[in-house]
Amino acid sequence: KAGVIPTPSHIAVFNQHLQEYDSSGKEIDLHTTLRKFSDMATLKGDFFLCREQSMEIVSRWLKDVKNMSTAEKFALCMSPVNESCTRSKNVLMKYIETYTSGKVPGLHYSMQPKTAKTFDHLADLCSIHHQLELFLWLQNKLPSNAVEVMRAEALKERTIQMINSGLFKAEKLTLSYDYISKDVRIKKEWASERRGEVDEI
């Protein structure tokens, strides 16, 4: 089998044809277009639509976005957004909302990296790095402000340095939750239950 990744122009033309042959006269949403494209791509079993689930999720997020063409929305479905991360989704949707309203998208204060003192902090740094990469990707697709690009690139480099520093000092980082103690406690409880079962026998 071969994976199919259509271009924004392909999806725009496919959507146009669906509109022409649709008797209801209603506008066909992007996620519906992608589903029909996927159905047609798998008719003979030789092809399938790559990143189908990911693109369908993002296309549903973009359903109510105005002032954007089908091709532009589809291009955004290819963004490096983490669909299961609320912060990642917020970066994408806030950028689009600001951009389509004619304003300049900027970096949120939460994207400012801080030195990792715990493993949770280190995980936050990794999340911030991903958010900054997403922001830069969006600036490349929907350019708005060169100054914000420079800020994002500088913050990304600083975040990488902090992540590397945190990994180097990993032995000194603390856990906000003691998984080792919990594991020991569960094993003791399980052993105690097993001894009780043996005594009953």
Side-chain angles (χ1 to χ4, degrees), residues 87 116 118-129 163:
R87 291 181 181 179
T118 67
F119 280 104
D120 285 342
H121 293 164
L122 189 58
D124 285 339
L125 283 173
C126 293
S127 176
I128 289 173
H129 179 266
I163 291 174

Side-chain angles (χ1 to χ4, degrees), residues 51-110:
R51 298 188 60 187
E52 180 178 1
Q53 184 177 3
S54 172
M55 289 191 294
E56 182 169 351
I57 291 172
V58 178
S59 67
R60 287 183 179 276
W61 294 348
L62 304 176
K63 181 179 179 181
D64 297 323
V65 173
K66 307 298 181 183
N67 303 323
M68 291 195 84
S69 66
T70 299
E72 288 174 323
K73 288 184 177 181
F74 177 73
L76 293 173
C77 288
M78 303 299 290
S79 68
V81 66
N82 182 349
E83 305 87 11
S84 61
C85 175
T86 302
R87 291 181 181 179
S88 187
K89 177 184 176 181
N90 288 342
V91 171
L92 175 68
M93 298 309 295
K94 184 63 178 178
Y95 190 102
I96 295 171
E97 178 186 346
T98 306
Y99 183 86
T100 54
S101 64
K103 300 177 182 178
V104 178
L107 292 166
H108 195 267
Y109 69 88
S110 63

Side-chain angles (χ1 to χ4, degrees), residues 13-192:
V13 172
F14 186 71
N15 177 266
Q16 182 180 348
H17 283 300
L18 290 178
Q19 294 281 170
E20 291 175 356
Y21 289 97
D22 183 56
S23 58
S24 67
K26 295 181 180 179
E27 182 178 352
I28 299 178
D29 295 319
L30 177 59
H31 69 272
T32 301
T33 301
L34 291 175
R35 193 181 307 115
K36 290 183 178 294
F37 186 92
S38 176
D39 291 342
M40 294 189 69
T42 55
L43 281 178
K44 293 184 178 181
D46 297 327
F47 302 96
F48 63 91
L49 180 62
C50 294
R51 298 188 60 187
E52 180 178 1
Q53 184 177 3
S54 172
M55 289 191 294
E56 182 169 351
I57 291 172
V58 178
S59 67
R60 287 183 179 276
W61 294 348
L62 304 176
K63 181 179 179 181
D64 297 323
V65 173
K66 307 298 181 183
N67 303 323
M68 291 195 84
S69 66
T70 299
E72 288 174 323
K73 288 184 177 181
F74 177 73
L76 293 173
C77 288
M78 303 299 290
S79 68
V81 66
N82 182 349
E83 305 87 11
S84 61
C85 175
T86 302
R87 291 181 181 179
S88 187
K89 177 184 176 181
N90 288 342
V91 171
L92 175 68
M93 298 309 295
K94 184 63 178 178
Y95 190 102
I96 295 171
E97 178 186 346
T98 306
Y99 183 86
T100 54
S101 64
K103 300 177 182 178
V104 178
L107 292 166
H108 195 267
Y109 69 88
S110 63
M111 294 188 200
Q112 294 287 340
K114 297 179 181 179
T115 303
K117 296 181 180 179
T118 67
F119 280 104
D120 285 342
H121 293 164
L122 189 58
D124 285 339
L125 283 173
C126 293
S127 176
I128 289 173
H129 179 266
H130 174 78
Q131 293 169 52
L132 289 168
E133 284 199 320
L134 175 57
F135 183 87
L136 288 168
W137 187 93
L138 289 166
Q139 280 283 352
N140 182 54
K141 293 295 181 180
L142 304 173
S144 64
N145 192 310
V147 175
E148 288 299 294
V149 171
M150 293 175 63
R151 284 187 61 211
E153 288 176 342
L155 286 174
K156 179 183 172 182
E157 288 302 315
R158 194 194 311 171
T159 303
I160 291 174
Q161 292 174 4
M162 289 184 175
I163 291 174
N164 290 334
S165 177
L167 291 173
F168 183 74
K169 301 175 182 178
E171 293 181 357
K172 298 180 181 179
L173 298 181
T174 61
L175 281 169
S176 58
Y177 186 85
D178 193 343
Y179 293 94
I180 297 177
S181 296
K182 179 183 177 182
D183 185 56
V184 172
R185 176 174 56 80
I186 291 175
K187 286 181 178 178
K188 286 182 178 179
E189 291 176 354
W190 182 81
S192 178

